[in-house]
Each structure stands twice: as C-alpha cells, then as structure tokens.
Amino acid sequence: MSYIDPKLQSRFESLPIELKNAILERNVRLYTLNDLIQVLERIVEEGE
C-alpha cells in the first residue's frame, strides 16, 4: 500500500487524477519531494 507523507499531500493532490492513480498503483512510500520526483521520472521513462 502506498504512503504519502502529510507534508507532500498538497503537492500530490495537485497532480492529475491519472497520475495520482499511477503513483498509488506502484505501492511506493513518499516521504520527500525527491521521492515524488523519482517516481514521476520512472513513470515518464516507462511511458505510462
């Protein structure tokens, strides 16, 4: 199950719903902005 640190919640919520779903499906744990950026970079690399 994915976890989004409350400090990142507003940034996460600003993303489009499709992108939020793609992140949550990966079962990641996001504690920092860098964590979020790394997941977004992986999604872009994979062409989702």
Side-chain angles (χ1 to χ4, degrees):
M1 174 176 270
S2 290
Y3 170 81
I4 311 298
D5 190 287
K7 294 177 287 190
L8 287 178
Q9 194 66 37
S10 64
R11 292 188 188 261
F12 180 77
E13 291 300 328
S14 71
L15 298 170
I17 188 71
E18 296 85 6
L19 195 48
K20 288 191 283 191
N21 288 338
I23 292 169
L24 293 174
E25 289 172 359
R26 293 169 175 270
N27 297 318
V28 294
R29 301 184 69 75
L30 305 177
Y31 295 101
T32 66
L33 183 56
N34 193 45
D35 293 340
L36 178 57
I37 291 169
Q38 288 177 350
V39 172
L40 293 171
E41 287 174 342
R42 277 187 254 139
I43 289 171
V44 169
E45 288 172 1
E46 293 170 9
E48 281 195 26

